Amino acid sequence: MQPKHLKYYLLGVFISGMILFIVLQFNSSQNIRKLISGNEQLLNELNVKNELQKLQTSIARTDSKVRGTVISQDTLNITGIEADVALIKADLNEINKLVISDSTEKLLTQLNYLVEEKNRFNVTVLDSFYTHGKWSAERLINAQKGKRLGEAIGVILHQLDSTRQTEVNRTVRLIDTSGQRAQNWGSVMMIFACISSLLAFLYITTRIHKQEQLIEALDKSQQQEKKLAAIKEQFLANMSHEIRTPMNAVLGFTHLLQQQPLNEKGREYVAAIENAGENLLEIINDILDISKIESGMMRLEPVSFSLRGVLHGVQTMFRLKAEEKKLAFNVTIDDNVPDILYGDVVRLTQVLVNLANNAIKFTNQGHVNIMINRLGENEHTVRVLFAVSDTGIGIAPDKLPAIFDRFNQAEADTTRKYGGTGLGLTIVKQLVELQHGALTVESEPGKGSTFMVELPYAHGELLPENGESINENFFSSLHADVKLLVAEDNKMNQDLLKHLLGNRQLHYQLVTNGQDVLNALTKGHYDMVLMDIQMPEMDGYTAARKIRQELHSNIPIIAMTAHAMAGEREKCLQAGMNEYLSKPIREEELFRLIQIFTGKFSPPEVHTALNGHFQPHDGPLVQLQYLKTLSKGDTEFEHAMLQQFVTQLPEDLGALKKAIQAEDVAAIRSTAHNLKTTISFIGLDGILYPILDPLESLDPNSYQPALVAEKFATLRELSLKAMEETMAILL
């Protein structure tokens, strides 16, 4: 029997069983009611027989009392005769109530008459006895009237008794029949209940057995599925290697061939090979990605990342492509969106790249915009909305539900006109759902489309919680194509940054003020800006604001400053910078920030020490631990930095003395800031910062020359002692 018909069969069996049960119950109830009725009738007949016997007994007793009184002339025998007569009347009334039948109505009438006559006769005999004496009473008795009345009453009572006995016999037979039927129907119901229970038990055990078989089959299927998934994962890994490796070789040699001298026809052929290879590699990547997602092998790898750094990379990636089609390409992020987030930055980048690539592909004129806004935020998470809009060909409303299907595009000729596999949006949708997000689209043919991606992220932690040293593998993961723009006016800081960045073979350009930063960003492309706060012509705060507001750039900006006042980091972030790096610059902290904000590296687990300063202690003033950490055994670099310190410290002290004598508060503050950088490399920050901090934050309205002169004298004394120790080290 087919499973779809089984439920109807079971329903029919259930209804038939219920009908049969109702019939059995009805018949059983009928017989039980007859049995009860028969018992009541039998009880009634027995009561009638009892009343008839009582009536006959009462009449005989009354006759006996009357005769005894006359014969013995003893009036004591007549005591209670009236009560006996009343009892006879009561028995007769009771019989009239119990016996209500057409067949006995005539007999009851006769009985009532005869009993009444019998009672009157007895009263007449007694009246004659009291009035005329014994002789008169005996004459009435001997007249045989009383005897005839008694015999007639006996005959009537016998007839009534015979009639009631017949009724009793009929009732007994009815009771026997009804009882037997009730017993039979009860047995049938018991048998039916047993059979129904047995069938239900067999059905339930059969279903349980089938379910156990299905569960066992499902377990085997799941185990088989796991094996197949492992085989598929291995196959995809092999495919990824075996297909991508030769494709990358083809593209690599194509790039090398493009650098060789070729004629116009050759360049055309090489360009065609490159275009075909890139398209084929994109198709391979899409197929492998969708296979990994659908097989459950796509894993999220959340890390802390800079959202603005990611957007800057996306903007850089598509800027030239948009310029080739003469499209305006803009990336805008709302100021209230946090920059450091915790999530899978690789999958976010893949989503944005897919959507931006589609937007540029299907837009021939106009613009492509990426806008990022904050939807909601609590203590632990923030929901971010990424909207990618274009002025392209658009999508018809009836085609919108199908654009996320595999190998499906809005129009049949889309692949021929624009290329692609129809997998891009499928991958985007599944990646968004994998990150517990939502993807929606709004579009109108001829006016463009807007894809909106809503993703939840945790708040990122820029600094780790422990204080372990950075791993050397981290530095090797930095790519050589990272290009930095460094704004620093202090000569010692410039030498330090040259040493650190040069050792890692990173490309950088060094400028000395904020205006040069703006000029450099206008002319060239950089991955990140290292920005000193206090510089001539234009300070770091102003430069950062102009980068955000005038250049509309999302390039990551890292502040570098010796300011140690509370709230300095918040001030830098409010100016548009992404993070704060305090001086003296720690190598591990510098490269960790480059790792987070440029995106051109592999993201290993990084543990770095918190920025801090050496505390003063007994012994020599000069402490070379920080310098030795930076040099990593390069003694030439150490001597060069010490010589630079010996040369620059007197110049800075002279400039500070001149500013104090002129009571030029601005110059005092600026020179004190430069001095903090100069002395931090040899471990004097813990000793001299308490002196330089008040000078750096001088208020012109509360300037006290005597106090400033006293601090300068202390500073000069300690600085000269530090110079002596430094000279001794150099010699």
Side-chain angles (χ1 to χ4, degrees), residues 429-670:
K429 187 175 188 295
Q430 296 193 9
L431 286 177
V432 170
E433 292 175 349
L434 189 65
Q435 300 176 79
H436 307 290
L439 173 63
T440 56
V441 58
E442 296 177 357
S443 184
E444 187 175 348
K447 294 187 177 180
S449 305
T450 300
F451 288 83
M452 290 165 286
V453 177
E454 181 182 342
L455 291 173
Y457 288 106
H459 293 288
E461 291 288 341
L462 188 57
L463 295 177
E465 295 179 358
N466 56 36
E468 297 178 11
S469 299
I470 191 168
N471 194 318
E472 283 295 326
N473 292 333
F474 161 69
F475 297 116
S476 63
S477 67
L478 288 168
H479 288 194
D481 62 346
V482 172
K483 189 173 183 181
L484 308 174
L485 179 59
V486 182
E488 176 61 66
D489 64 317
N490 184 278
K491 185 63 171 63
M492 290 192 69
N493 270 341
Q494 290 178 356
D495 292 342
L496 171 64
L497 290 169
K498 288 178 181 178
H499 171 75
L500 294 177
L501 300 177
N503 281 349
R504 303 301 166 190
Q505 299 180 351
L506 300 179
H507 301 293
Y508 64 91
Q509 179 178 345
L510 188 63
V511 296
T512 57
N513 60 70
Q515 186 59 51
D516 290 345
V517 171
L518 299 179
N519 295 337
L521 290 177
T522 304
K523 296 177 182 179
H525 165 69
Y526 299 90
D527 295 301
M528 192 172 76
V529 177
L530 297 174
M531 182 85 75
D532 187 26
I533 294 298
Q534 191 166 340
M535 296 180 294
E537 294 188 32
M538 183 184 295
D539 61 25
Y541 298 123
T542 305
R545 292 190 185 95
K546 288 182 176 292
I547 290 172
R548 301 300 187 214
Q549 298 172 6
E550 296 182 7
L551 299 183
H552 303 291
S553 174
N554 290 317
I555 186 171
I557 304 174
I558 306 300
M560 300 186 301
T561 178
H563 286 294
M565 284 84 73
E568 184 62 31
R569 180 176 183 273
E570 288 71 20
K571 187 177 179 181
C572 293
L573 297 180
Q574 289 175 0
M577 303 184 193
N578 298 85
E579 194 43 66
Y580 169 92
L581 186 63
S582 63
K583 296 178 182 178
I585 297 173
R586 304 287 179 181
E587 179 185 22
E588 59 270 24
E589 183 66 11
L590 171 65
F591 286 107
R592 193 177 70 85
L593 292 178
I594 296 175
Q595 176 200 25
I596 291 176
F597 287 99
T598 62
K600 295 186 176 181
F601 44 80
S602 302
E605 291 292 329
V606 179
H607 304 284
T608 180
L610 299 176
N611 265 335
H613 306 290
F614 293 107
Q615 300 297 324
H617 59 276
D618 297 334
L621 294 177
V622 175
Q623 303 291 335
L624 299 181
Q625 289 93 329
Y626 174 62
L627 186 59
K628 289 182 179 295
T629 300
L630 295 178
S631 68
K632 297 187 180 298
D634 188 346
T635 56
E636 292 184 2
F637 172 72
E638 294 175 6
H639 278 266
M641 294 300 292
L642 292 174
Q643 289 174 356
Q644 182 67 32
F645 168 75
V646 172
T647 302
Q648 187 162 338
L649 182 59
E651 295 178 1
D652 291 342
L653 288 174
L656 181 60
K657 180 180 179 181
K658 183 178 180 181
I660 292 174
Q661 290 174 346
E663 297 186 359
D664 186 349
V665 175
I668 294 173
R669 293 170 62 177
S670 175

Side-chain angles (χ1 to χ4, degrees), residues 6-69:
L6 179 61
K7 60 181 181 181
Y8 299 111
Y9 172 75
L10 293 176
L11 180 61
V13 171
F14 175 76
I15 293 175
S16 301
M18 289 299 297
I19 293 174
L20 179 59
F21 179 78
I22 291 171
V23 170
L24 292 174
Q25 181 65 28
F26 176 77
N27 288 320
S28 178
S29 299
Q30 286 288 94
N31 285 283
I32 291 174
R33 282 196 296 270
K34 288 180 180 179
L35 180 61
I36 294 172
S37 177
N39 287 329
E40 291 176 349
Q41 291 179 10
L42 179 61
L43 181 61
N44 186 59
E45 294 301 328
L46 293 175
N47 287 334
V48 170
K49 289 176 67 65
N50 184 46
E51 292 298 330
L52 291 174
Q53 291 177 357
K54 284 172 60 180
L55 177 63
Q56 191 172 10
T57 302
S58 297
I59 293 173
R61 185 171 60 249
T62 304
D63 285 348
S64 177
K65 284 184 178 182
V66 171
R67 289 176 180 274
T69 300

Side-chain angles (χ1 to χ4, degrees), residues 313-333:
V314 173
Q315 187 176 23
T316 302
M317 183 185 305
F318 289 101
R319 184 177 61 230
L320 293 177
K321 192 173 182 180
E323 290 176 355
E324 289 176 359
K325 298 186 70 173
K326 297 180 180 180
L327 301 175
F329 184 68
N330 302 308
V331 178
T332 306
I333 181 169

Side-chain angles (χ1 to χ4, degrees), residues 205-221:
T205 53
T206 303
R207 298 297 297 177
I208 291 175
H209 180 65
K210 289 183 178 180
Q211 287 182 352
E212 290 176 348
Q213 290 179 330
L214 289 174
I215 292 173
E216 184 178 355
L218 181 61
D219 290 338
K220 292 181 180 179
S221 176

